[in-house]
Amino acid sequence: MKSIPEEASEVVMAGKCPKCQNMVGSVRAEQINITNNAGNAFAGAAYTCPHCQTILSVTVDPFAFKNEIAIELMKRMRGGR
């Protein structure tokens, strides 16, 4: 995993949690499953408040997504589908 440049890690754009009103300078990332209307499942990440665990955002897990793309590319390069 790439490390964040030191100068970038010093910049904190804190905001308040909408539930507990504590300042949030970092979040916890938790793995979740995301299912779309077609029933396809994806690895996801929920970003939660470190104080009260309220979900602040949900997105496709970028690491799992990157791995899935790499696996699919390797299959196609080998002639599979």
Side-chain angles (χ1 to χ4, degrees):
M1 181 159 80
K2 277 188 160 182
S3 62
I4 298 172
E6 192 171 310
E7 61 275 3
S9 65
E10 293 175 7
V11 178
V12 176
M13 306 233 356
K16 286 185 179 181
C17 171
K19 182 176 181 184
C20 70
Q21 297 298 308
N22 283 310
M23 293 300 290
V24 178
S26 63
V27 296
R28 294 175 52 119
E30 299 179 19
Q31 290 182 324
I32 61 167
N33 293 320
I34 299 173
T35 306
N36 65 12
N37 290 340
N40 300 320
F42 303 94
Y47 300 107
T48 63
C49 173
H51 308 287
C52 69
Q53 286 69 51
T54 295
I55 295 175
L56 303 172
S57 179
V58 173
T59 187
V60 172
D61 182 333
F63 299 109
F65 191 56
K66 177 180 77 169
N67 289 338
E68 288 177 25
I69 290 171
I71 290 167
E72 184 64 29
L73 285 172
M74 291 300 292
K75 284 181 187 175
R76 290 179 184 227
M77 288 172 59
R78 291 182 181 135
R81 284 227 169 226

